[in-house]
Amino acid sequence: MKPIVKWQYEQLLKELLLLQDHQTDPGCPCATGGEMCTRKHLLAIEAYAQETMAMEEDGYYKEKLNTLAEEARSHRKEEEEALRREGEHENLVDWSRNWRKVFEDYSLSGREEKNG
């Protein structure tokens, strides 16, 4: 794996972890100070997935990144509706954890193999 691709995955994993943390901490004042933490992390996940997809050479992971970007965009739109009080906030703890697990081992080892 090229160093830039490894770096991209590390950033993606960080955003997934931060989203998971914000979703599991009921004490996080996510909606104060204009932060909108869930929306912010979903935007970053979508962007990193799209950017990494263009650099990824493995078709399996390229498709996974595409799916992640599409799902992040869909969840972001749901979150934006909730922020406008037109819908409900989603629980994305399992979603973020499951996606993190898709890429974690691959990005850690830099291997060009598929897991699962």
Side-chain angles (χ1 to χ4, degrees):
M1 180 180 297
K2 294 177 184 175
I4 186 64
V5 177
K6 184 171 178 51
W7 183 88
Q8 290 284 132
Y9 277 113
E10 288 173 357
Q11 303 317 303
L12 183 57
L13 289 168
K14 289 174 189 177
E15 292 294 338
L16 287 163
L17 278 168
L18 288 170
L19 176 59
Q20 186 178 338
D21 285 347
H22 284 286
Q23 290 270 305
T24 57
D25 184 356
C28 178
C30 292
T32 62
E35 280 303 308
M36 300 179 207
C37 297
T38 297
R39 179 180 183 266
K40 173 180 66 175
H41 292 301
L42 286 167
L43 276 167
I45 291 164
E46 180 183 349
Y48 276 117
Q50 290 171 330
E51 190 175 53
T52 307
M53 186 174 52
M55 300 175 194
E56 180 59 73
E57 296 175 354
D58 185 294
Y60 174 83
Y61 287 103
K62 188 177 285 264
E63 183 57 36
K64 289 291 186 186
L65 289 162
N66 185 56
T67 302
L68 174 58
E70 289 174 358
E71 288 181 12
R73 183 179 311 108
S74 176
H75 289 305
R76 177 176 53 83
K77 289 177 188 251
E78 292 289 324
E79 178 64 15
E80 289 169 354
E81 286 181 10
L83 290 167
R84 291 190 307 265
R85 292 175 177 72
E86 298 169 0
E88 298 294 320
H89 294 281
E90 294 180 282
N91 183 325
L92 299 171
V93 174
D94 290 337
W95 179 83
S96 57
R97 183 176 50 242
N98 291 339
W99 272 112
R100 179 178 49 82
K101 289 180 179 186
V102 168
F103 299 111
E104 205 160 41
D105 186 52
Y106 176 66
S107 66
L108 177 64
S109 65
R111 294 179 299 186
E112 297 285 337
E113 66 184 41
K114 298 165 190 63
N115 296 321

